[in-house]
Amino acid sequence: AVQFMPAFVLPQLLLAGLLVPTDNMARVLEVVSYLLPMTYAYDALARAAADELDARLVLDVALIGGFTVVALVLGATTLRRRTA
């Protein structure tokens, strides 16, 4: 699993809005960036740093929590069950 982390993390770093704002990206890349959790994490951090505590921040945090739950459920379903 660790060997595949760069394949998952690098595209998220490039599309999260850290280097280029998502508004300035091509429409296809902008749509893909909204499917990735790091976009919402970066947006939430930027809003919290700017003291913009609004509904959008709550939505970003909720989406990050949702991505986390989905990842945990997918991970749990791929584990083999062992009986003694």
Side-chain angles (χ1 to χ4, degrees):
V2 175
Q3 295 172 347
F4 291 108
M5 283 193 63
F8 291 109
V9 174
L10 185 63
Q12 290 190 52
L13 284 174
L14 295 174
L15 296 175
L18 292 169
L19 303 175
V20 177
T22 54
D23 298 338
N24 294 348
M25 292 181 190
R27 181 70 182 143
V28 173
L29 295 176
E30 186 178 353
V31 169
V32 170
S33 75
Y34 287 122
L35 299 174
L36 302 173
M38 197 174 290
T39 302
Y40 299 104
Y42 174 70
D43 191 35
L45 285 172
R47 288 182 186 280
D51 279 339
E52 294 180 19
L53 305 176
D54 55 0
R56 179 63 192 224
L57 177 65
V58 174
L59 176 66
D60 288 339
V61 171
L63 285 169
I64 294 166
F67 278 115
T68 303
V69 168
V70 168
L72 287 172
V73 168
L74 287 175
T77 58
T78 60
L79 291 175
R80 291 185 185 175
R81 295 185 183 177
R82 296 182 187 176
T83 57

